[in-house]
Amino acid sequence: VYTLRISVSDTDLARQVIESPHPVVVNDVRMPANFMLSHLPIRGWIGAALRVGERTFGLLTVDSYACDTYSADDARLMANFANQAALASHNAHLYAEAERRAAETGLLLEMTRTLASTLHLPEVLLRAAAAIGEALNADDVAILLLDERGERLVPQAGAASEHGYLR
């Protein structure tokens, strides 16, 4: 299932579900011309859009190997499940974004503390490179400064997760 890729533009039923404000119940999936999982023994099917506000970002589907399995009551229940799944997914994305921003804020705070703790440029740059590498989960970080004439970049500090050649 996780390797499955369904083209919305090539699949009428998927497009219908995404465009519909309500779940779509199909009593026998052999009737639509291009059911997206026709190679499986699925017969009864419900699809509901995963939507938050006006943004649709996926589908929730339930299927059965028997025809005429799902009713209007099942569709209403499916709508509730789809709404909850959409909100949970949306909240998870918001939480991940908040964590990313918190990490960025932490990095800025660490760099501010570093600058406040020492004015020795090599130490400031080394700590900054290490903090940036950790925050961005980078393999290598390099800080290069222009020379006095502004013509060449000269490595000043860096951090590397395995090799350590920049330290």
Side-chain angles (χ1 to χ4, degrees), residues 30-103:
R30 292 175 292 188
M31 298 305 170
N34 64 346
F35 180 65
M36 54 199 124
L37 302 172
S38 60
H39 62 286
L40 298 174
I42 296 169
R43 296 299 175 256
W45 186 87
I46 302 177
L50 295 174
R51 182 177 294 122
V52 173
E54 296 298 313
R55 184 175 165 266
T56 300
F57 60 89
L59 297 181
L60 174 62
T61 68
V62 175
D63 52 63
S64 171
Y65 295 157
C67 294
D68 300 314
T69 305
Y70 302 112
S71 67
D73 287 339
D74 295 323
R76 281 189 289 278
L77 185 58
M78 181 72 158
N80 289 332
F81 285 138
N83 287 336
Q84 289 300 312
L87 287 173
S89 177
H90 180 70
N91 288 340
H93 284 289
L94 290 175
Y95 183 76
E97 179 66 18
E99 281 188 323
R100 184 187 64 75
R101 287 186 180 159

Side-chain angles (χ1 to χ4, degrees), residues 4-15:
L4 179 67
R5 301 292 182 266
I6 297 170
S7 170
V8 174
S9 62
D10 295 338
T11 310
D12 294 337
L13 187 55
R15 189 172 47 258

Side-chain angles (χ1 to χ4, degrees), residues 21 41-42 85 95 109 112 114-115 120 125 151 165:
I42 296 169
Y95 183 76
L109 179 60
T112 300
T114 298
L115 288 172
H120 184 63
L125 295 177
E151 296 173 355
Y165 60 87

Side-chain angles (χ1 to χ4, degrees), residues 105-125:
T105 301
L107 172 61
L108 292 172
L109 179 60
E110 177 63 29
M111 291 179 72
T112 300
R113 286 181 183 152
T114 298
L115 288 172
S117 70
T118 180
L119 294 178
H120 184 63
L121 183 60
E123 182 67 21
V124 169
L125 295 177

